[in-house]
Amino acid sequence: MSTQNTFLKELDERSSDNLFTLQSHILAEQSKHPGSTGTFSWILSAMSLSAKVIASKLRRARLDDVLGALGTENVQGERQQKLDVIANETLLRCLGRRKGVAIVASEENEEPILLRDNAEAEGGYCVLFDPLDGSSNLDVCGGVGTIFSILQHPSPAATADEAMLQPGSRQLAAGYILFGSSTVFVLTTGNGVSMFVLDPMIGAFLRVEDNLRIPTKGKIYSLNEGNRPTFPEGYQRYLDWAQHNGYSSRYAGAMVADVHRTLLKGGVFLYPPTAKAPNGKLRLMYEANPMAFLVEQAGGKAYAGKERLLDVQPKTLHQRTTVILGSSEEVDHVLRHL
Ligand code: P6P
């Protein structure tokens, strides 16, 4: 090893400060793609900036009196929280300034937002996101999160729908930011899963895991048991089996919090069909697909009923889906009962 490397290695060993930031990670990933223009990296850094801004607003929400509902509904017919709109606008403003972003789509907006015409979008990207998932948890200081998915804009000739409605297997990157007891950024660009924690003292996300792996099993199931009476029989049989085999139930009511726990502790997260949501409640494009990409990259499995989630061919931007995702052995236990 060269003298310089030995010198640096000794420095790193002596110091407890973690200096490997999300920005360093993004640039290190970019360097693996010779000839890349840095556009993709810019988009990821826009997500990082948005996350820091949203985190700062969430931490002061009650003090700044921005908690609570706006009195309006989003495209899903759900009551919008003030912070839903604030988070959405933060993401649109940060992403809008990145020239590589051709189209953005948000849970909060009926139609995709075309930021650049197709010619300018050449080699551009589509970014889809749920700006503040689980926002009904805000008033009670529960976990909430931002979920995002990045697709390649297929070609200048593509319509907005053709550009957006790609199966999850075509995602170039996906991630979430969990605003919980700390602010955690979890990301995959197709080479495994990395996890970063925001150090508010320096305003940087620091890498704490590179190549995060989900446990192959874990006796935890996570779903809203209040809907149990209307679950299809297979899910009922699975719950009977799990409860007779010593499983614990954990449910935060916010997908990002439940998926993050599942990634770290193992287990299975489910949103089965219900009478109220016969096709499931969660959105395919900007909730289920990014989470499925992350879970598979961490060694887990993700299904919509008996179909692999990343193979589902989307038909509409805001379509809903059922979800079974988590540890490979735990997903198999569910599928076995369907
Ligand atoms: P339920 C939050 O509203 C959300 O979209 C997801 O974050 C969460 O997993 C799910 O809905 C909770 O739905 O019907 O259990 O309240």
Side-chain angles (χ1 to χ4, degrees), residues 221-233:
Y221 66 81
S222 179
L223 82 171
N224 183 340
E225 292 201 60
N227 297 323
R228 176 166 181 162
T230 66
F231 289 160
E233 270 185 39

Side-chain angles (χ1 to χ4, degrees), residues 136-137 221-232 235-236 238-239 243 248-255 258 261 268-277 281-282 323:
S136 53
N137 274 355
Y221 66 81
S222 179
L223 82 171
N224 183 340
E225 292 201 60
N227 297 323
R228 176 166 181 162
T230 66
F231 289 160
Y235 292 93
Q236 308 263 6
Y238 165 73
L239 286 173
Q243 287 162 1
S248 293
S249 171
R250 292 284 183 276
Y251 194 64
M255 187 183 197
D258 284 317
R261 183 200 56 252
V268 62
F269 169 78
L270 310 96
Y271 207 100
T274 65
K276 191 177 165 197
K281 174 184 179 186
L282 301 175
V323 173

